mmCIF file of all heavy atoms in Angstrom:
data_model
loop_
_atom_site.group_PDB
_atom_site.id
_atom_site.type_symbol
_atom_site.label_atom_id
_atom_site.label_comp_id
_atom_site.label_asym_id
_atom_site.label_seq_id
_atom_site.Cartn_x
_atom_site.Cartn_y
_atom_site.Cartn_z
ATOM 1 N N LEU A 1358 96.825 79.071 61.236
ATOM 2 C CA LEU A 1358 96.693 80.001 62.370
ATOM 3 C C LEU A 1358 98.093 80.551 62.788
ATOM 4 O O LEU A 1358 98.246 81.699 63.061
ATOM 5 C CB LEU A 1358 96.091 79.213 63.579
ATOM 6 C CG LEU A 1358 95.876 79.993 64.809
ATOM 7 C CD1 LEU A 1358 94.841 81.106 64.595
ATOM 8 C CD2 LEU A 1358 95.450 79.118 66.013
ATOM 9 N N GLY A 1359 99.102 79.619 62.798
ATOM 10 C CA GLY A 1359 100.430 80.062 63.136
ATOM 11 C C GLY A 1359 101.014 81.178 62.271
ATOM 12 O O GLY A 1359 101.611 82.088 62.626
ATOM 13 N N ARG A 1360 100.834 80.874 60.944
ATOM 14 C CA ARG A 1360 101.280 81.937 59.929
ATOM 15 C C ARG A 1360 100.533 83.164 60.086
ATOM 16 O O ARG A 1360 101.183 84.254 59.969
ATOM 17 C CB ARG A 1360 101.148 81.293 58.524
ATOM 18 C CG ARG A 1360 102.088 80.224 58.098
ATOM 19 C CD ARG A 1360 102.045 80.056 56.629
ATOM 20 N NE ARG A 1360 100.749 79.467 56.209
ATOM 21 C CZ ARG A 1360 100.400 78.220 56.169
ATOM 22 N NH1 ARG A 1360 101.309 77.269 56.511
ATOM 23 N NH2 ARG A 1360 99.214 77.804 55.769
ATOM 24 N N GLY A 1361 99.262 83.091 60.412
ATOM 25 C CA GLY A 1361 98.496 84.283 60.567
ATOM 26 C C GLY A 1361 99.035 85.118 61.794
ATOM 27 O O GLY A 1361 99.143 86.361 61.725
ATOM 28 N N PHE A 1362 99.293 84.407 62.939
ATOM 29 C CA PHE A 1362 99.860 85.153 64.057
ATOM 30 C C PHE A 1362 101.184 85.792 63.716
ATOM 31 O O PHE A 1362 101.418 86.942 64.136
ATOM 32 C CB PHE A 1362 100.039 84.177 65.253
ATOM 33 C CG PHE A 1362 98.797 84.021 66.035
ATOM 34 C CD1 PHE A 1362 98.397 82.716 66.539
ATOM 35 C CD2 PHE A 1362 97.959 85.054 66.405
ATOM 36 C CE1 PHE A 1362 97.296 82.559 67.307
ATOM 37 C CE2 PHE A 1362 96.864 84.872 67.124
ATOM 38 C CZ PHE A 1362 96.505 83.645 67.581
ATOM 39 N N ARG A 1363 102.046 85.070 63.041
ATOM 40 C CA ARG A 1363 103.369 85.586 62.730
ATOM 41 C C ARG A 1363 103.331 86.778 61.843
ATOM 42 O O ARG A 1363 104.040 87.700 61.847
ATOM 43 C CB ARG A 1363 104.260 84.499 62.201
ATOM 44 C CG ARG A 1363 104.572 83.342 63.176
ATOM 45 C CD ARG A 1363 105.766 82.478 62.768
ATOM 46 N NE ARG A 1363 105.513 81.781 61.510
ATOM 47 C CZ ARG A 1363 104.924 80.589 61.397
ATOM 48 N NH1 ARG A 1363 104.376 80.053 62.471
ATOM 49 N NH2 ARG A 1363 104.772 80.050 60.186
ATOM 50 N N PHE A 1364 102.271 86.700 60.893
ATOM 51 C CA PHE A 1364 102.134 87.790 59.949
ATOM 52 C C PHE A 1364 101.591 89.079 60.730
ATOM 53 O O PHE A 1364 102.069 90.189 60.491
ATOM 54 C CB PHE A 1364 101.093 87.430 58.886
ATOM 55 C CG PHE A 1364 100.752 88.542 57.926
ATOM 56 C CD1 PHE A 1364 101.635 88.890 56.882
ATOM 57 C CD2 PHE A 1364 99.575 89.287 58.066
ATOM 58 C CE1 PHE A 1364 101.262 89.942 56.018
ATOM 59 C CE2 PHE A 1364 99.249 90.259 57.241
ATOM 60 C CZ PHE A 1364 100.143 90.581 56.165
ATOM 61 N N LEU A 1365 100.705 88.873 61.652
ATOM 62 C CA LEU A 1365 100.083 89.967 62.427
ATOM 63 C C LEU A 1365 101.123 90.652 63.374
ATOM 64 O O LEU A 1365 101.170 91.842 63.478
ATOM 65 C CB LEU A 1365 98.894 89.457 63.192
ATOM 66 C CG LEU A 1365 97.693 89.232 62.351
ATOM 67 C CD1 LEU A 1365 96.602 88.592 63.254
ATOM 68 C CD2 LEU A 1365 97.134 90.466 61.734
ATOM 69 N N PHE A 1366 101.913 89.813 64.082
ATOM 70 C CA PHE A 1366 102.761 90.317 65.126
ATOM 71 C C PHE A 1366 104.247 90.224 64.919
ATOM 72 O O PHE A 1366 105.025 90.775 65.671
ATOM 73 C CB PHE A 1366 102.403 89.575 66.444
ATOM 74 C CG PHE A 1366 101.006 89.524 66.837
ATOM 75 C CD1 PHE A 1366 100.371 88.326 67.062
ATOM 76 C CD2 PHE A 1366 100.239 90.669 66.821
ATOM 77 C CE1 PHE A 1366 99.005 88.246 67.343
ATOM 78 C CE2 PHE A 1366 98.928 90.658 67.131
ATOM 79 C CZ PHE A 1366 98.252 89.492 67.464
ATOM 80 N N GLY A 1367 104.653 89.602 63.825
ATOM 81 C CA GLY A 1367 106.102 89.406 63.602
ATOM 82 C C GLY A 1367 106.819 90.808 63.308
ATOM 83 O O GLY A 1367 108.014 90.858 63.554
ATOM 84 N N TRP A 1368 106.095 91.704 62.792
ATOM 85 C CA TRP A 1368 106.754 93.000 62.430
ATOM 86 C C TRP A 1368 107.075 93.800 63.662
ATOM 87 O O TRP A 1368 107.858 94.776 63.574
ATOM 88 C CB TRP A 1368 105.895 93.761 61.551
ATOM 89 C CG TRP A 1368 104.517 94.112 62.081
ATOM 90 C CD1 TRP A 1368 103.392 93.314 62.101
ATOM 91 C CD2 TRP A 1368 104.225 95.267 62.864
ATOM 92 N NE1 TRP A 1368 102.386 93.995 62.766
ATOM 93 C CE2 TRP A 1368 102.879 95.148 63.258
ATOM 94 C CE3 TRP A 1368 104.917 96.383 63.310
ATOM 95 C CZ2 TRP A 1368 102.218 96.135 64.089
ATOM 96 C CZ3 TRP A 1368 104.267 97.352 64.061
ATOM 97 C CH2 TRP A 1368 102.936 97.195 64.421
ATOM 98 N N MET A 1369 106.448 93.538 64.752
ATOM 99 C CA MET A 1369 106.602 94.374 65.971
ATOM 100 C C MET A 1369 108.014 94.177 66.601
ATOM 101 O O MET A 1369 108.415 92.996 66.769
ATOM 102 C CB MET A 1369 105.479 94.023 67.024
ATOM 103 C CG MET A 1369 104.099 94.351 66.550
ATOM 104 S SD MET A 1369 102.853 93.846 67.788
ATOM 105 C CE MET A 1369 103.273 94.969 69.192
ATOM 106 N N PRO A 1370 108.710 95.223 66.896
ATOM 107 C CA PRO A 1370 110.029 95.084 67.431
ATOM 108 C C PRO A 1370 110.064 94.429 68.863
ATOM 109 O O PRO A 1370 110.935 93.683 69.224
ATOM 110 C CB PRO A 1370 110.587 96.505 67.452
ATOM 111 C CG PRO A 1370 109.381 97.387 67.537
ATOM 112 C CD PRO A 1370 108.364 96.667 66.703
ATOM 113 N N LEU A 1371 109.007 94.723 69.663
ATOM 114 C CA LEU A 1371 108.908 94.111 70.965
ATOM 115 C C LEU A 1371 107.916 93.007 70.926
ATOM 116 O O LEU A 1371 107.114 92.851 70.055
ATOM 117 C CB LEU A 1371 108.385 95.151 71.985
ATOM 118 C CG LEU A 1371 109.358 96.276 72.298
ATOM 119 C CD1 LEU A 1371 108.639 97.282 73.301
ATOM 120 C CD2 LEU A 1371 110.636 95.819 72.936
ATOM 121 N N SER A 1372 108.074 92.052 71.971
ATOM 122 C CA SER A 1372 107.173 90.986 71.997
ATOM 123 C C SER A 1372 105.824 91.313 72.576
ATOM 124 O O SER A 1372 105.759 91.785 73.803
ATOM 125 C CB SER A 1372 107.813 89.837 72.915
ATOM 126 O OG SER A 1372 106.903 88.860 73.277
ATOM 127 N N LEU A 1373 104.795 91.236 71.834
ATOM 128 C CA LEU A 1373 103.476 91.544 72.338
ATOM 129 C C LEU A 1373 103.053 90.579 73.440
ATOM 130 O O LEU A 1373 102.439 90.912 74.416
ATOM 131 C CB LEU A 1373 102.473 91.433 71.170
ATOM 132 C CG LEU A 1373 100.968 91.635 71.502
ATOM 133 C CD1 LEU A 1373 100.748 93.039 72.150
ATOM 134 C CD2 LEU A 1373 100.097 91.320 70.377
ATOM 135 N N GLY A 1374 103.506 89.320 73.266
ATOM 136 C CA GLY A 1374 103.280 88.259 74.328
ATOM 137 C C GLY A 1374 103.803 88.683 75.682
ATOM 138 O O GLY A 1374 103.191 88.461 76.726
ATOM 139 N N ASP A 1375 105.044 89.162 75.590
ATOM 140 C CA ASP A 1375 105.699 89.577 76.914
ATOM 141 C C ASP A 1375 104.926 90.719 77.578
ATOM 142 O O ASP A 1375 104.730 90.750 78.778
ATOM 143 C CB ASP A 1375 107.116 89.991 76.620
ATOM 144 C CG ASP A 1375 108.101 88.833 76.520
ATOM 145 O OD1 ASP A 1375 107.635 87.684 76.673
ATOM 146 O OD2 ASP A 1375 109.271 89.094 76.271
ATOM 147 N N ILE A 1376 104.472 91.648 76.705
ATOM 148 C CA ILE A 1376 103.681 92.772 77.236
ATOM 149 C C ILE A 1376 102.412 92.261 77.883
ATOM 150 O O ILE A 1376 101.994 92.739 78.937
ATOM 151 C CB ILE A 1376 103.439 93.843 76.094
ATOM 152 C CG1 ILE A 1376 104.755 94.413 75.629
ATOM 153 C CG2 ILE A 1376 102.500 94.855 76.611
ATOM 154 C CD1 ILE A 1376 104.588 95.320 74.413
ATOM 155 N N LEU A 1377 101.706 91.357 77.124
ATOM 156 C CA LEU A 1377 100.453 90.776 77.689
ATOM 157 C C LEU A 1377 100.755 90.000 78.996
ATOM 158 O O LEU A 1377 99.885 90.136 79.942
ATOM 159 C CB LEU A 1377 99.835 89.861 76.640
ATOM 160 C CG LEU A 1377 99.300 90.519 75.375
ATOM 161 C CD1 LEU A 1377 98.738 89.478 74.374
ATOM 162 C CD2 LEU A 1377 98.211 91.514 75.743
ATOM 163 N N TYR A 1378 101.809 89.244 79.064
ATOM 164 C CA TYR A 1378 102.142 88.591 80.374
ATOM 165 C C TYR A 1378 102.311 89.546 81.467
ATOM 166 O O TYR A 1378 101.856 89.387 82.596
ATOM 167 C CB TYR A 1378 103.358 87.683 80.156
ATOM 168 C CG TYR A 1378 103.051 86.374 79.440
ATOM 169 C CD1 TYR A 1378 104.095 85.789 78.771
ATOM 170 C CD2 TYR A 1378 101.821 85.790 79.494
ATOM 171 C CE1 TYR A 1378 103.962 84.560 78.144
ATOM 172 C CE2 TYR A 1378 101.623 84.557 78.830
ATOM 173 C CZ TYR A 1378 102.621 83.937 78.156
ATOM 174 O OH TYR A 1378 102.411 82.731 77.528
ATOM 175 N N ALA A 1379 103.032 90.659 81.161
ATOM 176 C CA ALA A 1379 103.315 91.682 82.225
ATOM 177 C C ALA A 1379 101.994 92.378 82.702
ATOM 178 O O ALA A 1379 101.850 92.504 83.858
ATOM 179 C CB ALA A 1379 104.297 92.706 81.659
ATOM 180 N N VAL A 1380 101.151 92.635 81.720
ATOM 181 C CA VAL A 1380 99.854 93.273 82.046
ATOM 182 C C VAL A 1380 99.017 92.250 82.887
ATOM 183 O O VAL A 1380 98.400 92.697 83.868
ATOM 184 C CB VAL A 1380 99.077 93.635 80.785
ATOM 185 C CG1 VAL A 1380 97.669 94.012 81.106
ATOM 186 C CG2 VAL A 1380 99.790 94.758 80.083
ATOM 187 N N ALA A 1381 99.106 91.002 82.575
ATOM 188 C CA ALA A 1381 98.308 89.976 83.237
ATOM 189 C C ALA A 1381 98.785 89.864 84.743
ATOM 190 O O ALA A 1381 97.945 89.738 85.661
ATOM 191 C CB ALA A 1381 98.397 88.572 82.564
ATOM 192 N N VAL A 1382 100.074 89.891 84.927
ATOM 193 C CA VAL A 1382 100.607 89.824 86.310
ATOM 194 C C VAL A 1382 100.144 91.033 87.050
ATOM 195 O O VAL A 1382 99.701 90.941 88.257
ATOM 196 C CB VAL A 1382 102.110 89.671 86.234
ATOM 197 C CG1 VAL A 1382 102.731 89.865 87.642
ATOM 198 C CG2 VAL A 1382 102.524 88.363 85.668
ATOM 199 N N LEU A 1383 100.275 92.232 86.510
ATOM 200 C CA LEU A 1383 99.897 93.414 87.154
ATOM 201 C C LEU A 1383 98.352 93.357 87.509
ATOM 202 O O LEU A 1383 97.919 93.872 88.515
ATOM 203 C CB LEU A 1383 100.165 94.672 86.289
ATOM 204 C CG LEU A 1383 101.695 94.898 86.107
ATOM 205 C CD1 LEU A 1383 101.945 96.059 85.151
ATOM 206 C CD2 LEU A 1383 102.315 95.306 87.507
ATOM 207 N N TRP A 1384 97.587 92.925 86.546
ATOM 208 C CA TRP A 1384 96.121 92.823 86.736
ATOM 209 C C TRP A 1384 95.779 91.918 87.894
ATOM 210 O O TRP A 1384 94.900 92.148 88.756
ATOM 211 C CB TRP A 1384 95.433 92.335 85.493
ATOM 212 C CG TRP A 1384 93.973 92.085 85.637
ATOM 213 C CD1 TRP A 1384 92.971 93.025 85.496
ATOM 214 C CD2 TRP A 1384 93.304 90.831 85.851
ATOM 215 N NE1 TRP A 1384 91.752 92.456 85.684
ATOM 216 C CE2 TRP A 1384 91.892 91.129 85.839
ATOM 217 C CE3 TRP A 1384 93.677 89.504 86.087
ATOM 218 C CZ2 TRP A 1384 90.994 90.120 86.182
ATOM 219 C CZ3 TRP A 1384 92.857 88.557 86.368
ATOM 220 C CH2 TRP A 1384 91.469 88.811 86.323
ATOM 221 N N LEU A 1385 96.515 90.758 87.997
ATOM 222 C CA LEU A 1385 96.282 89.774 89.027
ATOM 223 C C LEU A 1385 96.649 90.401 90.413
ATOM 224 O O LEU A 1385 95.965 90.264 91.354
ATOM 225 C CB LEU A 1385 97.116 88.536 88.827
ATOM 226 C CG LEU A 1385 96.986 87.356 89.742
ATOM 227 C CD1 LEU A 1385 95.513 86.919 89.818
ATOM 228 C CD2 LEU A 1385 97.902 86.214 89.450
ATOM 229 N N ILE A 1386 97.737 91.113 90.454
ATOM 230 C CA ILE A 1386 98.162 91.775 91.719
ATOM 231 C C ILE A 1386 97.135 92.804 92.173
ATOM 232 O O ILE A 1386 96.756 92.914 93.290
ATOM 233 C CB ILE A 1386 99.538 92.461 91.492
ATOM 234 C CG1 ILE A 1386 100.581 91.396 91.336
ATOM 235 C CG2 ILE A 1386 99.888 93.363 92.735
ATOM 236 C CD1 ILE A 1386 101.951 91.991 91.005
ATOM 237 N N TYR A 1387 96.589 93.532 91.153
ATOM 238 C CA TYR A 1387 95.581 94.578 91.448
ATOM 239 C C TYR A 1387 94.322 93.904 91.980
ATOM 240 O O TYR A 1387 93.714 94.406 92.955
ATOM 241 C CB TYR A 1387 95.254 95.341 90.236
ATOM 242 C CG TYR A 1387 93.976 96.209 90.347
ATOM 243 C CD1 TYR A 1387 93.996 97.385 91.089
ATOM 244 C CD2 TYR A 1387 92.852 95.772 89.684
ATOM 245 C CE1 TYR A 1387 92.880 98.126 91.238
ATOM 246 C CE2 TYR A 1387 91.723 96.540 89.804
ATOM 247 C CZ TYR A 1387 91.637 97.725 90.573
ATOM 248 O OH TYR A 1387 90.599 98.472 90.716
ATOM 249 N N LYS A 1388 93.934 92.771 91.355
ATOM 250 C CA LYS A 1388 92.682 92.129 91.814
ATOM 251 C C LYS A 1388 92.860 91.593 93.224
ATOM 252 O O LYS A 1388 91.894 91.602 94.016
ATOM 253 C CB LYS A 1388 92.399 90.982 90.838
ATOM 254 C CG LYS A 1388 91.780 91.411 89.522
ATOM 255 C CD LYS A 1388 90.426 92.099 89.709
ATOM 256 C CE LYS A 1388 89.746 92.469 88.434
ATOM 257 N NZ LYS A 1388 88.381 93.079 88.736
ATOM 258 N N VAL A 1389 93.955 90.986 93.571
ATOM 259 C CA VAL A 1389 94.259 90.471 94.891
ATOM 260 C C VAL A 1389 94.163 91.659 95.875
ATOM 261 O O VAL A 1389 93.570 91.555 96.984
ATOM 262 C CB VAL A 1389 95.565 89.795 94.991
ATOM 263 C CG1 VAL A 1389 95.906 89.444 96.448
ATOM 264 C CG2 VAL A 1389 95.550 88.501 94.127
ATOM 265 N N TYR A 1390 94.801 92.783 95.537
ATOM 266 C CA TYR A 1390 94.813 93.965 96.371
ATOM 267 C C TYR A 1390 93.407 94.475 96.589
ATOM 268 O O TYR A 1390 93.007 94.841 97.722
ATOM 269 C CB TYR A 1390 95.689 95.050 95.763
ATOM 270 C CG TYR A 1390 95.554 96.398 96.436
ATOM 271 C CD1 TYR A 1390 96.205 96.683 97.595
ATOM 272 C CD2 TYR A 1390 94.824 97.461 95.805
ATOM 273 C CE1 TYR A 1390 96.034 97.916 98.236
ATOM 274 C CE2 TYR A 1390 94.648 98.639 96.336
ATOM 275 C CZ TYR A 1390 95.282 98.965 97.535
ATOM 276 O OH TYR A 1390 95.161 100.158 98.139
ATOM 277 N N ARG A 1391 92.633 94.557 95.496
ATOM 278 C CA ARG A 1391 91.176 95.059 95.643
ATOM 279 C C ARG A 1391 90.395 94.153 96.471
ATOM 280 O O ARG A 1391 89.582 94.564 97.255
ATOM 281 C CB ARG A 1391 90.706 95.170 94.213
ATOM 282 C CG ARG A 1391 89.309 95.832 94.106
ATOM 283 C CD ARG A 1391 88.955 96.157 92.714
ATOM 284 N NE ARG A 1391 87.647 96.705 92.529
ATOM 285 C CZ ARG A 1391 86.520 96.052 92.356
ATOM 286 N NH1 ARG A 1391 86.625 94.710 92.226
ATOM 287 N NH2 ARG A 1391 85.377 96.687 92.282
#
């Protein structure tokens, strides 16, 4: 599984995980506001 993840996302120059975390925080803020 780990090799598969690194194969899928390792080529990306930016961290997909960081982007997902940022989106999750924004989503949570939006949900609280709503």
